[in-house]
Amino acid sequence: MGDGTAIAGLGMTELGKVYGRSPRRLAADAVRLAAADAGLAPGELDGLIVSHGLGGSPGIELADALGMRDLRLLTQMNSFGATAGAMVAHAAMSVRSGAASAVACVFADAPLKPKQSSGAAYHRDAREWYGFGGMTAALGLRSVNSFYALAAQRHMARYGTTSEQLGAIAVATREWATRNPLAQMRDPITLEDHQNSRWVAEPLHLLDCCLVSNGAIAVIVTSAERARDLARPPVHLWGWGQGHPGLRKERGSEWGLTTGAVASGATAMKMAGVTPSDVTVCELYDCYTYTVLVSLEDYGFCAKGEGGAFAASGALGPGGSLPTNTGGGQLSAYYMWGMTPLSEAVIQARGDGGERQAPSNDVVLVSGNGGILDHHSTLIVSPHPKGA
Amino acid sequence: MDIGVLRRDGRTDPFFDGAAADRLVIKHCASCDHRLTPDAGDCPDCGTTELAWADASGAASLVTWTVTHGRPAADGTVPPPAFLALVELAEGPWLHARLDGVERAELREGLPLRAVFAHPDEGEPYMLFRPWTE
């Protein structure tokens, strides 16, 4: 395949409670690490895509900080948690068209502050609020947690999904994390621990919610042909897609029950020439356990409404039929928006998973989810060239 | 969770004029008869930006809910939980809302609700939804 594209480099800074480095500094470090991982000098990169973030994320001035010159592609992108997949797809299309030849895609964020709770990073607080729009927050809907809780509760009421089924996702994800030296949370947990963890926003317990992390992750996208001659085994890009359903909040809406993963997954799998039964590893955006559950349904790994039973069957953990979030995901490893699932997908596709390496890495599905289930992206990657 | 102080924003003032008189006022698209939330800027069906204000009945039903719990304080005390929800107005639009006077056991999809207005000493009135039986 002459027009194939691949991820050739992965760069990850320290992740978690990393203080004293600005997001721009973290981003520059990650790009340098990714280039070095690929065996490229920074000067050999001719494209840079910077993800939007929350905690003062860098913009396109990052190119100056890195001393990059004569770029063919430089932009910032934002579809919130779906950005990583969108960046890689844009980079791949740029490479395929000949507009650029080696593109770095980077996410950096530092929302955590010393002596402040993780929740505070994604929580709005004020004494006064303005207008009808402000009334929602004034009345108490101030945290992303509350909005995802509304979605999860709706699924429970409609399909009989239970908190224990969500807990099965938290437990399986932590089991993977115990095998990942990069994970922030490595102590095993039980379903009982999940049930006993404090309520954040019913029906979500603390252990249904992701971590908040500082740090940066970058990948290098280039042609499959060039990637073959670089330092690390190519991670071939087989397909990509996005889904932004724009569900209105009004009578008849399916909000909370279905997401952009339906369209995004179908697009990516069609491009890759695979079906859900071909996927051997899933790296799903897991800002909440519920996001994993609804994504599994929307991708077609189980029927709508059966995500809870599927998760509780043990399919997702080590030894299960669909190894999912093999690094511990955002729930237990590190929260770098869509770079969490993407980085673990690269590690798995290279066979670098060590104790947590999945039995087959032939077809790895990566998801990104942004907003409150508003935006979705999908990548399908593999150690094998597409069509080989 | 404490309810914050509300101020007008110049764009949704008619909602607060209505609330002051215990009336729920929402947006209405005259050309396609679409009822929209008070902060809607244009009609997603026909695209008009000429939306009118119109009285709503105040009748609603519960779509989904959450009970939020603040972080425990250093002395272990926990703030009282807040019952927050998405509600469907009888006219069609959904609103993010706070429920008042509800028990966990009665929460269900479709629970009939009605808008009521609170008039705090400081700031604009705000809207709550209470279970309602005719």
Side-chain angles (χ1 to χ4, degrees):
Chain A
M1 296 291 286
D3 63 351
T5 51
I7 294 172
L10 170 66
M12 302 168 71
T13 67
E14 281 179 277
L15 303 168
K17 291 178 175 159
V18 180
Y19 303 124
R21 287 152 84 185
S22 69
R24 189 170 72 180
R25 169 71 196 283
L26 291 162
D29 289 349
V31 171
R32 287 194 191 95
L33 288 166
D37 182 60
L40 289 167
E44 292 179 274
L45 300 175
D46 62 1
L48 176 65
I49 308 179
V50 185
S51 174
H52 172 83
L54 282 187
S57 57
I60 56 175
E61 78 284 353
L62 179 63
D64 287 333
L66 279 160
M68 298 175 96
R69 299 181 60 190
D70 199 22
L71 294 179
R72 301 297 197 255
L73 170 64
L74 176 61
T75 190
Q76 187 187 42
M77 290 176 62
N78 181 24
S79 29
F80 297 118
T83 310
M87 288 195 298
V88 168
H90 188 61
M93 288 185 277
S94 298
V95 168
R96 187 182 276 186
S97 68
S101 67
V103 180
C105 306
V106 63
F107 171 88
D109 213 354
L112 274 183
K113 308 278 185 288
K115 296 180 186 168
Q116 182 196 61
S117 78
S118 297
Y122 281 79
H123 183 96
R124 299 166 64 201
D125 225 341
R127 205 186 88 80
E128 297 193 349
W129 305 88
Y130 292 87
F132 180 83
M135 190 172 71
T136 296
L139 293 175
L141 279 152
R142 294 176 200 175
S143 164
V144 178
N145 298 329
S146 308
F147 294 98
Y148 274 90
L150 291 172
Q153 176 58 52
R154 191 162 197 234
H155 197 279
M156 287 178 162
R158 180 68 59 92
Y159 298 116
T161 307
T162 66
S163 172
E164 288 80 0
Q165 291 171 337
L166 294 177
I169 295 171
V171 171
T173 306
R174 181 62 65 87
E175 202 177 345
W176 285 115
T178 64
R179 304 166 180 215
N180 182 3
L182 300 172
Q184 288 173 229
M185 307 293 273
R186 299 190 61 195
D187 293 332
I189 56 169
T190 63
L191 196 54
E192 196 180 2
D193 293 330
H194 171 270
Q195 292 292 297
N196 290 337
S197 66
R198 70 176 172 86
W199 288 121
V200 171
E202 295 179 41
L204 301 177
H205 288 273
L206 182 66
L207 290 176
D208 288 304
C209 307
C210 70
L211 307 165
V212 177
S213 313
N214 292 351
I217 298 181
V219 295
I220 309 294
V221 176
T222 187
S223 68
E225 196 177 358
R226 186 167 183 197
R228 269 195 298 276
D229 298 328
L230 295 177
R232 301 300 318 277
V235 177
H236 295 273
L237 290 159
W238 282 15
W240 51 78
Q242 292 186 29
H244 309 269
L247 295 175
R248 290 186 196 166
K249 290 206 177 83
E250 62 183 20
R251 182 173 294 135
S253 176
E254 293 293 295
W255 182 87
L257 302 174
T258 183
T259 74
V262 175
S264 182
T267 302
M269 284 189 259
K270 185 180 178 197
M271 193 185 300
V274 301
T275 66
S277 63
D278 297 315
V279 173
T280 56
V281 182
C282 269
E283 305 298 350
L284 300 180
Y285 199 98
D286 57 339
C287 48
Y288 298 89
T289 51
Y290 175 64
T291 315
V292 174
L293 187 146
V294 73
S295 298
L296 288 165
E297 294 177 352
D298 288 346
Y299 279 127
F301 293 109
C302 61
K304 179 50 68 182
E306 292 178 8
F310 184 67
S313 74
L316 310 180
S321 58
L322 186 66
T324 294
N325 293 349
T326 50
Q330 301 167 333
L331 291 170
S332 287
Y334 47 86
Y335 183 65
M336 286 282 109
W337 286 20
M339 283 296 185
T340 300
L342 178 60
S343 56
E344 179 65 14
V346 171
I347 290 166
Q348 288 287 328
R350 288 173 168 181
D352 286 348
E355 276 185 74
R356 68 184 193 278
Q357 182 64 41
S360 166
N361 63 357
D362 287 339
V363 182
V364 186
L365 181 144
V366 187
S367 83
N369 159 72
I372 315 297
L373 306 170
D374 296 310
H375 311 291
H376 203 97
S377 65
T378 310
L379 296 172
I380 312 275
V381 305
S382 171
H384 315 297
K386 186 179 173 184
Chain B
M1 187 186 294
D2 290 342
I3 291 174
V5 174
L6 263 177
R7 305 288 183 198
R8 294 187 176 217
D9 66 354
R11 203 172 65 78
T12 55
D13 295 357
F15 169 80
F16 293 105
D17 291 337
D22 295 309
R23 291 187 297 116
L24 172 54
V25 179
I26 62 174
K27 288 277 182 69
H28 178 224
C29 173
S31 49
C32 65
D33 200 28
H34 201 161
R35 308 283 164 157
L36 298 156
T37 61
D39 56 345
D42 43 34
C43 176
D45 280 338
C46 69
T48 183
T49 55
E50 304 293 312
L51 297 179
W53 290 93
D55 277 353
S57 64
S61 63
L62 186 59
V63 176
T64 184
W65 61 92
T66 175
V67 187
T68 60
H69 299 256
R71 288 179 71 86
D75 63 4
T77 56
V78 182
F83 289 74
L84 305 171
L86 264 173
V87 304
E88 179 172 303
L89 299 182
E91 292 80 9
W94 290 6
L95 300 178
H96 289 107
R98 181 162 175 147
L99 306 179
D100 184 53
V102 291
E103 303 288 338
R104 257 189 198 73
E106 67 182 318
L107 294 170
R108 63 177 170 84
E109 208 172 348
L111 178 74
L113 301 166
R114 182 165 280 277
V116 294
F117 296 89
H119 304 274
D121 292 338
E122 190 186 2
E124 295 295 327
Y126 56 84
M127 180 167 56
L128 302 168
F129 283 84
R130 282 192 189 138
W132 175 63
T133 45
E134 267 183 285

